[in-house]
Amino acid sequence: MRITIIGYGMAGARLATLLAKDHQVTVYGAENHPAYNRILLSGLLAGAYQETDLALPPANVDLRLGVAATDIDRVARTVHGEPYDALVFATGSRAIIPPVKGLTGDDGEPHPNVAAFRTLDDCRRILAATGSHPVVLGGGLLGVEAARGLAGRGPVTLVHGAPHLLERQLDAVGGAVLADTLAAIGITVRVNAQAVAYVDGVLRLADGTELPADPLVVSCGVRAETTLAESIGLAVGRGVLVDDELRASDPAIYAIGDCAQHRGAVYGLVAPAWEQAAVLAEVLSGAAALRYTGSRLVTRLKAAGIDLAAMGDLDGEEIVSFADPSRGTYARLAITAGRLRGAILLGDNPTVGTVTQLFDRRTPVPADRRSLLLGRMSAALPAETPALMPDAAVVCRCNTVTKGEIVRCGGRSVPQIAQRTNATTGCGGCADAVRGIADWLSTVDPVMEEVWP
Ligand SMILES: Cc1cc2nc3c(=O)[nH]c(=O)nc-3n(C[C@H](O)[C@H](O)[C@H](O)COP(=O)(O)OP(=O)(O)OC[C@H]3O[C@@H](n4cnc5c(N)ncnc54)[C@H](O)[C@@H]3O)c2cc1C
């Protein structure tokens, strides 16, 4: 089958790898770089990674790097005059630059001191900036990660328009605890702060405050990149509308990743993008009646020294919470009908794995709710040691890899397990858990190593 993929980001690269062996695959990638792990850009900014650490496995396909696809003929089924049997949009998202005077020039390009935080080129610009007053505009997950990454260079200001940080993930108390944690590492947080202009390296706020801002990193959300899809008449809402086969309104066209809208959801996260890539690879190969039915999300902040996990809805019949601001700790559980609807765990919380499992598997929460908040494990809770962890527990969230899959893959070291299951190859946050399982397996079942070539 001739398959053309538009977009060589996290979703497009994964799909290309999955299809390369059995199909004739052509990929257009507008960025001038081989595929890289976008979610590790935060670590690149923080100096935890080098660019080479971000490389994704190259796919053996006809790759048009640095070429944006523009010319699609749906009737003739061609892209730039070359035929396809199936066309896949994996065009991702683009960063939103708010309409604040001075952020962009007349040509629409960002001011020289201003950078979005989406691409490797954005990161290179931020890292090359010589100014000594870094300011981040936008206190969502990426804004907090960017501020944390820049904090090593000196004092950073994080400017946020909403009443508290991470308002999509946290409630007001959690936001305040996080702001205190950031303050302790040299990040000043200004909430309820509306940027109105950027002039001569100074960011002006609505209350008259003037902040020297160089570099100014803009992290004000993303929008699905649907320009090309709309231009050829595909049905588009907030993303390209797709069904459970990831099929768009044209039966020969599909969409996956940040640019796709499935059952009303535009996820903007890598786990759904990679799940969709895996399902679409099956659909296009006709191998199985696999369908994508949506993803259940747990969000983690990847900022050194700040542990945050947020999942589901923050409201429920029953709210149980605990705050210890002096230790930067806050936890909130939203429970309905004895099951977890959502949770926030901020700071050092030893039960994060257990809470995530209860959420994932929709299992009843223990009668002693405090055990979940305070880490006093009751006998009713599944323990977090590898031996007692259920096989169905998801260990790598980016790649949806369970403990059972890790056990069955036969690997007994992190690199082997990564190669065989993809676990740890997303944000890398599960590396310790995978190492723990590998060590446990090496002890209890070392023989498996010999049967794998
Ligand atoms: C700094 C940062 C940190 C993140 N951290 C996390 C995290 O911890 N966890 C998480 O789940 N998610 C995270 N994300 C989000 C995650 O990166 C995205 O969900 C993921 O990249 C989506 O993959 P995608 O392939 O759909 O889009 P992208 O990776 O954006 O790739 C789309 C590609 O398509 C290209 N393209 C667009 N139009 C065309 C065209 N016409 N022709 C050719 N190419 C085109 C673009 O240039 C781009 O290279 C983070 C994002 C950023 C920026």
Side-chain angles (χ1 to χ4, degrees):
M1 197 185 215
R2 293 164 304 183
I3 300 169
T4 298
I5 303 173
I6 302 182
Y8 196 44
M10 306 277 289
R14 175 62 63 90
L15 182 67
T17 307
L18 293 170
L19 294 174
K21 199 159 65 71
D22 300 321
H23 300 276
Q24 185 185 323
V25 182
T26 304
V27 184
Y28 288 85
E31 290 184 70
N32 232 330
H33 309 285
Y36 62 90
N37 187 334
R38 194 176 304 283
I39 68 185
L40 296 185
L41 287 176
S42 309
L44 184 69
L45 204 58
Y49 298 112
Q50 306 293 313
E51 284 191 12
T52 46
D53 298 326
L54 273 55
L56 289 175
N60 187 15
V61 295
D62 179 359
L63 183 58
R64 316 285 168 88
L65 216 51
V67 182
T70 51
D71 175 13
I72 299 172
D73 184 332
R74 279 173 54 190
V75 178
R77 293 196 175 169
T78 58
V79 177
H80 293 283
E82 297 176 67
Y84 64 80
D85 301 308
L87 174 63
V88 182
F89 276 79
T91 49
S93 315
R94 69 186 129 89
I96 296 172
I97 303 286
V100 172
K101 184 180 159 224
L103 289 186
T104 53
D106 294 339
D107 56 0
E109 291 300 313
H111 182 281
N113 297 347
V114 175
F117 185 34
R118 178 75 198 172
T119 65
L120 182 54
D121 287 341
D122 292 335
C123 261
R124 286 182 177 176
R125 289 187 61 201
I126 299 168
L127 288 167
T130 51
S132 52
H133 298 286
V135 172
V136 177
L137 186 59
L141 279 167
L142 289 190
V144 172
E145 288 186 11
R148 180 68 188 94
L150 291 167
R153 301 187 187 190
V156 179
T157 307
L158 177 56
V159 174
H160 191 47
H164 64 83
L165 292 175
L166 265 64
E167 73 278 6
R168 286 172 62 190
Q169 288 83 16
L170 295 180
D171 57 14
V173 182
V177 172
L178 177 59
D180 286 347
T181 303
L182 294 176
I185 51 174
I187 300 169
T188 304
V189 176
R190 302 186 74 111
V191 290
N192 284 318
Q194 314 300 330
V196 291
Y198 184 60
V199 184
D200 296 332
V202 172
L203 184 69
R204 196 171 298 149
L205 305 181
D207 66 1
T209 305
E210 297 201 329
L211 295 171
D214 180 12
L216 176 58
V217 178
V218 179
S219 180
C220 295
V222 294
R223 188 168 293 135
E225 180 52 80
T226 58
T227 322
L228 182 61
E230 276 177 87
S231 76
I232 60 166
L234 293 181
V236 170
R238 288 179 300 123
V240 181
L241 301 182
V242 294
D243 63 15
D244 289 0
E245 290 190 312
L246 288 323
R247 200 184 298 270
S249 52
D250 176 323
I253 302 184
Y254 302 79
I256 56 171
D258 280 15
C259 73
Q261 180 173 340
H262 173 263
R263 297 191 188 179
V266 178
Y267 289 106
L269 290 169
V270 77
W274 281 349
E275 271 181 76
Q276 291 169 0
V279 171
L280 183 55
E282 294 284 337
V283 167
L284 291 175
S285 302
L290 202 60
R291 298 290 177 269
Y292 178 73
T293 54
S295 300
R296 200 161 158 83
L297 300 179
V298 175
T299 312
R300 302 293 288 262
L301 190 69
K302 314 182 298 301
I306 310 166
D307 291 328
L308 169 74
M311 59 205 89
D313 293 331
L314 297 185
D315 290 319
E317 284 169 359
E318 203 186 322
I319 300 295
V320 191
S321 65
F322 169 78
D324 183 357
S326 66
R327 295 168 64 96
T329 306
Y330 175 66
R332 175 185 170 112
L333 309 176
I335 297 165
T336 294
R339 288 175 164 74
L340 210 54
R341 262 175 72 83
I344 301 168
L345 299 166
L346 177 59
D348 184 24
N349 194 314
T351 57
V352 63
T354 304
V355 171
T356 308
Q357 276 182 45
L358 290 171
F359 174 74
D360 266 346
R361 306 179 71 212
R362 300 175 171 86
T363 32
V365 295
D368 177 12
R369 316 295 204 222
R370 288 171 307 174
S371 60
L372 284 177
L373 292 179
L374 305 176
R376 288 209 307 265
M377 309 287 288
S378 86
L381 289 177
E384 290 180 46
T385 61
L388 298 179
M389 190 187 276
D391 268 12
V394 178
V395 178
C396 172
R397 305 207 67 86
C398 295
N399 286 287
T400 326
V401 182
T402 61
K403 176 199 156 190
E405 286 167 303
I406 292 176
V407 171
R408 287 191 296 277
C409 85
R412 292 296 178 267
S413 68
V414 176
Q416 286 172 344
I417 292 170
Q419 195 195 7
R420 294 167 195 182
T421 66
N422 282 326
T424 73
T425 62
C427 73
C430 62
D432 285 344
V434 173
R435 192 169 301 111
I437 295 173
D439 291 347
W440 164 69
L441 286 170
S442 303
T443 314
V444 298
D445 189 16
V447 189
M448 284 290 279
E449 187 54 40
E450 291 160 23
V451 299
W452 198 278

